[in-house]
Amino acid sequence: VLEPFVSLSLKVTHPLQVPTYLRECIGQAEANRTVVHLSIPRDIQLAEIDETDPLFNPEIVPEPLHLLPAPVDAYEWVAKELSNLQKLVIAVGPRAVGVGAEIESLAELLDAPIVYSIDAKGIISDKHPCVVGVHGAFGLPGLDISRQVVAKADTILALGLDDLNPFLTNETGAQIRALYICEPNFSSITHHFHRKRTLVAPLKDTVQHLTKRLTSSKKEGLLTQTEQLREQVKLLPPSLEPNSLIHPARFLQALHYY
């Protein structure tokens, strides 16, 4: 039943299959960042097994990689390059959960606006002055201001982002912006786009290391231009008339008025 919706669906028919199928499913999910399904019928769950059988050793189940910190020089190089960029946008994805405050501090030092994918909503406070809003939602570019800010960027700093297309490409699908990518594990690194720099480590550690190596700059980054765009693209609260229509992305932003 679930095969059309998952990348792997297995059903256990014998107790000895449990360790192998479990390993296969976990490996598939971790390697491809996808959804898998493993069906273990009740009779298999109630079956008796030999706990001394090495087949049932829990150590055979794959575990996520525990990465060592990146070399100090890597943070120094990336921080120096980012500090010299004036058309930088920070793009946040779902794997940045728990790193919101650190990303906000980084954006302030870089004078860079923050946009995020719809599945990352809630990681960053929409009330923070650096936050522009969601981009690439509902099959459209999202809010007008998000689209305009990304259009003005020449570099994207991607933090735990799944779909990079709306942030990097033009209408023909060609990559037109440089990519700095930070991911918590190797399996999340994109191979579809050219990467200028890649940092692989827990995202909170990566953002904190970059922040420590930056100093407050007087340069006028893209965030300053974003403030000007805010004035040009003011979004009023949605009308409460029964027959009024509003784009869902506009409604999400307008919620802050109430």
Side-chain angles (χ1 to χ4, degrees):
V1 175
L2 294 175
E3 284 185 2
F5 309 103
V6 297
S7 64
L8 179 64
S9 180
L10 298 175
K11 180 178 180 180
V12 176
T13 59
H14 191 281
L16 294 180
Q17 294 177 328
V18 172
T20 302
Y21 283 14
L22 184 61
R23 174 175 53 81
E24 287 293 328
C25 285
I26 294 177
Q28 175 82 356
E30 288 286 346
N32 299 297
R33 293 176 289 154
T34 187
V35 178
V36 298
H37 172 250
L38 177 61
S39 174
I40 305 179
R42 181 173 173 77
D43 60 320
I44 302 294
Q45 297 179 35
L46 297 176
E48 294 185 5
I49 61 171
D50 181 2
E51 296 183 3
T52 63
D53 189 332
L55 182 65
F56 295 98
N57 185 346
E59 293 183 359
I60 70 170
V61 177
E63 294 183 0
L65 292 173
H66 299 286
L67 300 175
L68 295 174
V72 174
D73 287 347
Y75 295 117
E76 297 284 356
W77 294 333
V78 173
K80 182 177 180 180
E81 290 179 3
L82 292 177
S83 66
N84 292 325
L85 297 174
Q86 293 188 329
K87 295 183 179 180
L88 171 70
V89 167
I90 298 176
V92 179
R95 285 182 296 284
V97 64
V99 197
E102 289 77 8
I103 295 173
E104 292 167 3
S105 297
L106 178 65
E108 292 169 3
L109 290 173
L110 292 172
D111 195 42
I114 302 172
V115 295
Y116 54 83
S117 57
I118 187 64
D119 52 1
K121 187 169 180 63
I123 292 177
I124 306 288
S125 172
D126 284 332
K127 296 181 180 180
H128 192 277
C130 291
V131 175
V132 177
V134 67
H135 183 63
F138 308 106
L140 297 171
L143 298 174
D144 293 340
I145 189 170
S146 300
R147 176 182 57 78
Q148 292 186 41
V149 167
V150 172
K152 289 179 177 292
D154 60 14
T155 306
I156 299 294
L157 173 60
L159 303 171
L161 192 63
D162 278 327
D163 185 8
L164 291 161
N165 276 287
F167 303 87
L168 294 177
T169 64
N170 60 12
E171 60 277 2
T172 67
Q175 180 177 353
I176 59 173
R177 299 177 184 92
L179 172 63
Y180 286 74
I181 188 169
C182 302
E183 286 290 349
N185 53 65
F186 288 104
S187 64
S188 303
I189 298 175
T190 180
H191 297 282
H192 297 281
F193 297 100
H194 177 266
R195 305 180 307 274
K196 187 165 185 180
R197 299 292 183 196
T198 304
L199 291 175
V200 182
L203 283 182
K204 179 170 286 192
D205 293 346
T206 296
V207 176
Q208 287 177 339
H209 278 294
L210 292 175
T211 302
K212 289 177 182 177
R213 288 160 175 80
L214 292 168
T215 56
S216 183
S217 173
K218 297 297 183 182
K219 71 178 179 69
E220 182 177 306
L222 195 54
L223 183 60
T224 305
Q225 299 180 41
T226 301
E227 293 302 325
Q228 299 169 359
L229 286 174
R230 290 185 201 275
E231 295 300 318
Q232 299 172 13
V233 192
K234 285 192 181 253
L235 297 178
L236 298 177
S239 171
L240 298 181
E241 295 297 324
N243 296 323
S244 358
L245 298 176
I246 187 170
H247 189 282
R250 293 185 182 276
F251 174 74
L252 287 175
Q253 188 185 47
L255 286 176
H256 297 300
Y257 286 94
Y258 300 103

